[in-house]
Amino acid sequence: MTDGTPPTPDERFDALVEEFTEALRNGTAREVEAYADENPDLAGRIRVMFPAVRAMETADALTPAAPATIGPYKVVRKLGEGGMGLVYEAQDEDGQPVAIKRIHKRLLALPGFVKRFLREVEVGVRIVHPGVVRTIQLGWNGADEQPWPYLVIE
């Protein structure tokens, strides 16, 4: 596209999905049909995907509230949860997007867990490759008697 060629339909659709998602998050989203009317060649895909995106964004809003901040990072929303912990979309102080992996407190009591986790962080920091998510920082958060670790990744 920087070479003057027009975007492909897939590229246009991806950009529209990103635009719609951002509009949902800031409360300025238009009706799905408005997007379909403006992009008749993509209307079928829009009518299928946009309601699903709206449902996912609404479901995120109904889940228990994410913390406003973790360390110096502003939390945008919860992305998911697994056996090891929770993952949040966040922004650094410059507004750059990051992901934060917050470890479940219950795991901290398991023998050797913290040591294994710290080893994972150490290895992650050393690996620099375009095909591997970059580890940015390890931090500890929580004002209670047992702070919990978090990992910041791109």
Side-chain angles (χ1 to χ4, degrees), residues 31-114:
E31 292 299 315
V32 171
E33 282 306 309
Y35 291 93
D37 290 345
E38 292 171 4
N39 301 278
D41 60 320
L42 301 173
R45 293 172 71 185
I46 289 169
R47 289 184 181 110
V48 169
M49 182 62 78
F50 282 29
V53 170
R54 184 184 305 267
M56 287 188 295
E57 289 296 316
T58 302
D60 282 347
L62 298 176
T63 58
T69 61
I70 296 177
Y73 301 92
K74 178 183 172 195
V75 175
V76 175
R77 68 185 177 125
K78 178 179 159 186
L79 292 175
E81 182 171 358
M84 195 168 173
L86 300 130
V87 179
Y88 297 100
E89 175 184 353
Q91 295 176 339
D92 68 13
E93 294 165 336
D94 295 326
Q96 294 299 308
V98 297
I100 298 178
K101 184 178 184 180
R102 175 185 162 187
I103 305 306
H104 287 305
K105 286 184 179 182
R106 63 181 163 73
L107 295 175
L108 299 177
L110 296 176
F113 176 80
V114 172

